[in-house]
Amino acid sequence: MEMNWKAAIDSIPILNKAALLTLELTAGAIAIGVVIALFMALARLSKKRILRAVAITYIDFFRGTPLLVQIFLVYFLVPRLLNWDTLPENYQYFAGVLAMGLNSGAYIAEIFRAGIQSIDRGQSEAARSLGMSHSQSMRYVILPQAFKRVIPPLGNEFIALLKDSSLLSIIAIQELFYSGKIIAGRTFQPIPMYIAVALYYLLMTQLISQWVAYMERRLGKNDLR
Amino acid sequence: MIYVKNLYKSYGKLEVLKGIDCHIREKEVVVVIGPSGSGKSTFLRCLNKLEEPTKGEITVDGIVLNSEANVNVIRREVGMVFQRFNLFPHMTALQNVVLAPEIVRKTKKAEAEKIGLELLAKVGLSDKAGEYPDRLSGGQQQRVAIARALAMKPKIMLFDETTSALDPEMVGEVLAVMKDLAREGMTMVVVTHEMGFAREVGDRVIFMDEGIIMEEGEPNQVFEHPKNPRTQAFLSKIL
């Protein structure tokens, strides 16, 4: 069959919308993931054994099982846990973002932990010697420094997350990959469509890279070492 | 002001402190000297519980250091200056100084900054208030660290080899600030290799080796007529 780019060009408005949805899904997952990760990282470093155990179990589970399985698991488990008879409208978006957020929370927790542990012990000693509590020392001294250091690995994680959001097509979320697949099937032009989809993903991951580089420059200005 | 009773500290099998007893009086400047590995820094770090003693009792300003709450209260009253400065690199000199008064003592921002600027002036760094630590020399950083500790209005100051990480030409400016403090009547415990400082400023010198206090006394007596053979050997090597 002849390769025809018209279908791909005609579908730009649809792909734009789908790409926007992909960005929204990723942003939602990042928001959930970062909050979970902060708690899990602090729990992982806690003196209390039970908190450490919770964090380790969480991280092992969500890193050690496929995201695809987690998406299905969340999709089917949540209505069961909440005793829903019928699924609310657009439930799949909620389940999809939640699953991705839970998953990224595990990875980002390890990034945060590494960041916190990379800060010299003298910093917390100085803070504690001034009478700050453990949480004050974390909040004002350790975390601001750690955050700066974790921006590059955090950028990696955000990019991975954006690409992995294509897995949400499996629960019929019409994000970028799903839309591309549908149009490819309808127009019998898979190659131009998937090239277009790939370019969209590339553009978006580039945006994240640029943002990360910008943040690094901005936050690095008082840190010349 | 500080009572130390039968203090022991081990790291696993390694015994660093093997029974320290000592009393530090108000307004006294006690200088702790001794070879590396003698436990003098560990001893100092036990006084504000940066190290958890294995055994023994420490009482500071009438409070026994036996609970987390007590320790946080005491740390407000006990300032510490470190060998490697440990300034907060993401804050300016002034922010370093005002942070603890603001969040621990709940001092109002304007008030804390006024005191902070006064303290920076006191250590000779009025013009550096807005600089980040990596723009400051080692000596300047250490003076900011002293101002930071003083901002909590401590009753006691601990100095942990505060000039050991400095280039030689910067040692003097830090020692000068410490001398001023001593003259103002601050209670100080100073771990140092600066024998000139010990002799000039110290009210009492403690010589530590192998985790115990080998000898203590007035600087003149310890430096001129050391009784313990270990002290004699140590002093003969460095003087």
Side-chain angles (χ1 to χ4, degrees):
Chain A
M1 184 198 291
E2 197 105 335
M3 219 162 78
N4 184 350
W5 288 88
K6 189 169 178 304
I9 293 166
D10 287 346
S11 61
I12 283 177
I14 298 175
L15 291 184
N16 280 346
K17 233 178 109 189
L20 189 64
L21 179 59
T22 287
L23 280 177
E24 287 167 355
L25 293 166
T26 308
I30 287 173
I32 295 173
V34 165
V35 172
I36 291 177
L38 189 56
F39 283 104
M40 286 298 161
L42 292 174
R44 179 83 174 73
L45 293 169
S46 166
K47 275 186 202 151
K48 297 200 179 73
R49 186 177 292 182
I50 174 81
L51 287 179
R52 284 206 308 270
V54 168
I56 290 171
T57 309
Y58 180 91
I59 291 166
D60 281 352
F61 178 79
F62 282 99
R63 277 200 318 190
T65 56
L67 176 56
L68 193 54
V69 176
Q70 292 163 17
I71 291 169
F72 276 125
L73 211 49
V74 168
Y75 185 84
F76 290 112
L77 199 60
V78 168
R80 189 64 174 272
L81 290 175
L82 297 177
N83 267 327
W84 286 343
D85 293 329
T86 52
L87 294 181
E89 209 184 333
N90 294 331
Y91 164 70
Q92 71 272 31
Y93 296 104
F94 171 78
V97 170
L98 181 63
M100 287 221 302
L102 289 168
N103 178 273
S104 70
Y107 285 95
I108 300 175
E110 286 294 271
I111 293 174
F112 282 172
R113 176 172 72 94
I116 291 168
Q117 285 181 323
S118 78
I119 303 301
D120 188 275
R121 234 184 81 182
Q123 290 290 308
S124 72
E125 285 183 352
R128 300 307 300 275
S129 80
L130 289 162
M132 289 184 219
S133 65
H134 177 72
S135 53
Q136 286 173 328
S137 135
M138 270 291 165
R139 179 169 159 202
Y140 294 99
V141 176
I142 309 297
L143 290 180
Q145 297 182 58
F147 182 67
K148 210 152 63 177
R149 288 198 194 169
V150 299
I151 287 174
L154 217 46
N156 277 345
E157 174 59 22
F158 292 171
I159 286 172
L161 204 57
L162 184 119
K163 293 184 296 180
D164 285 350
S165 70
S166 56
L167 290 172
L168 295 179
S169 60
I170 207 79
I171 50 171
I173 292 179
Q174 300 182 10
E175 43 67 57
L176 184 55
F177 173 73
Y178 184 95
S179 303
K181 199 176 83 169
I182 296 294
I183 301 170
R186 205 181 54 208
T187 59
F188 303 108
Q189 288 296 338
I191 295 172
M193 278 318 297
Y194 286 122
I195 289 177
V197 166
L199 289 175
Y200 268 88
Y201 276 113
L202 186 61
L203 183 73
M204 289 191 289
T205 52
Q206 280 299 309
L207 279 178
I208 297 181
S209 298
Q210 295 300 320
W211 176 77
V212 167
Y214 166 76
M215 287 298 280
E216 255 188 282
R217 275 198 307 276
R218 219 188 62 156
L219 289 171
K221 71 175 182 238
N222 57 5
D223 190 7
L224 304 174
R225 282 159 308 158
Chain B
M1 195 127 223
I2 304 179
Y3 290 90
V4 178
K5 251 186 357 210
N6 204 27
L7 178 66
Y8 282 80
K9 171 71 187 175
S10 313
Y11 299 100
K13 278 184 180 164
L14 179 70
E15 264 198 319
V16 184
L17 299 178
K18 304 171 191 167
I20 305 263
D21 288 278
C22 138
H23 172 209
I24 290 151
R25 291 169 206 87
E26 204 171 341
K27 300 200 171 190
E28 193 177 26
V29 177
V30 174
V31 180
V32 184
I33 60 172
S36 0
S38 58
K40 51 194 193 305
S41 278
T42 307
F43 166 63
L44 194 73
R45 291 161 57 85
C46 282
L47 297 182
N48 66 350
K49 277 279 179 90
L50 283 184
E51 301 290 346
E52 188 65 33
T54 315
K55 206 168 86 180
E57 190 180 271
I58 300 172
T59 311
V60 179
D61 198 26
I63 297 177
V64 183
L65 299 187
N66 55 5
S67 73
E68 175 90 9
N70 279 355
V71 169
N72 277 342
V73 167
I74 271 314
R75 281 179 179 155
R76 291 173 204 177
E77 313 298 335
V78 181
M80 186 164 203
V81 185
F82 300 86
Q83 181 174 358
R84 286 173 49 243
F85 329 136
N86 296 343
L87 289 184
F88 308 136
H90 58 303
M91 298 180 183
T92 64
L94 184 61
Q95 287 168 339
N96 264 279
V97 176
V98 300
L99 178 66
E102 280 183 25
I103 66 172
V104 179
R105 291 235 192 257
K106 313 282 178 210
T107 311
K108 294 265 182 306
K109 191 172 163 69
E111 169 78 2
E113 287 189 350
K114 186 172 152 269
I115 298 170
L117 287 170
E118 282 168 15
L119 285 169
L120 286 176
K122 181 189 168 94
V123 298
L125 291 172
S126 292
D127 53 331
K128 302 289 185 195
E131 292 285 1
Y132 285 93
D134 53 14
R135 296 289 189 122
L136 301 174
S137 71
Q140 291 170 333
Q141 288 192 49
Q142 194 60 296
R143 284 185 281 152
V144 173
I146 293 174
R148 177 176 69 177
L150 291 176
M152 287 297 285
K153 300 198 164 71
K155 297 175 178 161
I156 301 164
M157 286 283 282
L158 309 177
F159 293 87
D160 188 6
E161 303 202 28
T162 43
T163 56
S164 301
L166 294 176
D167 290 338
E169 75 269 23
M170 294 170 183
V171 170
E173 63 194 60
V174 172
L175 290 181
V177 172
M178 291 166 65
K179 274 178 208 168
D180 282 347
L181 270 182
R183 216 168 289 136
E184 289 163 17
M186 176 65 78
T187 308
M188 293 166 57
V189 185
V190 184
V191 170
T192 187
H193 293 290
E194 295 293 329
M195 296 305 146
F197 177 87
R199 204 183 283 227
E200 187 188 334
V201 183
D203 297 312
R204 183 153 50 112
V205 172
I206 291 178
F207 173 72
M208 278 181 70
D209 197 9
E210 293 181 352
I212 56 171
I213 295 179
M214 291 274 177
E215 180 161 0
E216 62 182 305
E218 283 184 14
N220 272 336
Q221 182 241 307
V222 174
F223 284 112
E224 306 301 333
H225 311 288
K227 292 184 196 116
N228 192 301
R230 295 273 195 157
T231 323
Q232 290 165 4
F234 175 71
L235 290 175
S236 72
K237 265 183 249 163
I238 58 160
L239 289 181

